Amino acid sequence: GPGVPQDVLRAVVDLAKEIGREGREGQPIGTILVVGDVRKVQSMSRYLNFNPFRGYTRAERDVRDRKVREQIKEIAKLDGAILISRDGIAEAACVYLDVPTDDVTLSKGFGSRHLSAAGISRHTKAIAFCISQSSGTVRVFQDGEVKLHIEPLARPHVWQPPRLESTEGGGE
């Protein structure tokens, strides 16, 4: 990516794949991770909620740390995009990307999340990772176009507690 170190890209790809494959607590999650060009992205967005990363040290927000990625997976359940600086520091979450999409062309079947990811990558130097809630597929957008698409290997089966049928008080 444009000025994004390889280890940061690798950490974000791993995070996106895990969100797509696992969701959170058995529920599928869709979200956008925007990497790089944070100032310009912030100028084209607004907060939907409090920023959950505010007040933490850089080390406590570094996506290359496994524990931080686990916390980001929890935050990904909230509405809005997650912004990550080019050096791998989670800067903001719950961000509404208010970006023009007139000049973005996507295949049929993509929703507003994909359109926003394409738009922000078209109008900034950021790379946007869009995780589909319905399929878990990760699409990587750069310059308004899908540059990479990653299918989850498999979504795990969510085990439910067994329900035993009672034979007392109603059986023949």
Side-chain angles (χ1 to χ4, degrees), residues 12-29:
V12 176
V13 166
D14 288 346
L15 173 61
K17 288 188 319 185
E18 289 170 13
I19 291 171
R21 184 177 55 246
E22 302 164 12
R24 199 69 179 153
E25 297 178 357
Q27 298 298 314
I29 294 175

Side-chain angles (χ1 to χ4, degrees), residues 102-127:
D102 307 358
D103 55 349
V104 174
T105 305
L106 290 178
S107 302
K108 297 279 187 214
F110 290 122
S112 59
R113 182 177 294 127
H114 290 85
L115 193 59
S116 293
I120 203 69
S121 76
R122 160 89 67 212
H123 294 283
T124 67
K125 293 178 182 163
I127 301 169

Side-chain angles (χ1 to χ4, degrees), residues 144-162:
E145 298 176 7
V146 176
K147 297 293 182 175
L148 180 64
H149 135 210
I150 305 165
E151 291 293 333
L153 294 176
R155 283 196 164 167
H157 178 74
V158 178
W159 291 99
Q160 300 293 325

Side-chain angles (χ1 to χ4, degrees), residues 32-70:
I32 301 172
L33 307 171
V34 181
V35 182
D37 208 1
V38 171
R39 285 184 194 232
K40 185 152 187 195
V41 171
Q42 285 178 321
S43 75
M44 302 178 87
S45 59
R46 61 184 165 85
Y47 286 98
L48 296 170
N49 206 333
F50 294 112
N51 180 5
F53 297 117
R54 187 172 181 190
Y56 289 94
T57 66
R58 289 175 61 81
E60 292 171 314
R61 297 179 287 130
D62 193 326
V63 298
R64 291 166 288 200
D65 181 337
R66 181 103 188 97
K67 291 179 281 191
V68 173
R69 289 196 304 273
E70 284 301 315

Side-chain angles (χ1 to χ4, degrees), residues 74-101:
E74 191 66 31
I75 291 168
K77 293 190 300 189
L78 303 173
D79 282 340
I82 297 171
L83 308 185
I84 301 168
S85 67
R86 67 172 295 288
D87 56 350
I89 307 303
E91 298 289 348
C94 305
V95 174
Y96 175 78
L97 302 173
D98 193 13
V99 61
T101 57

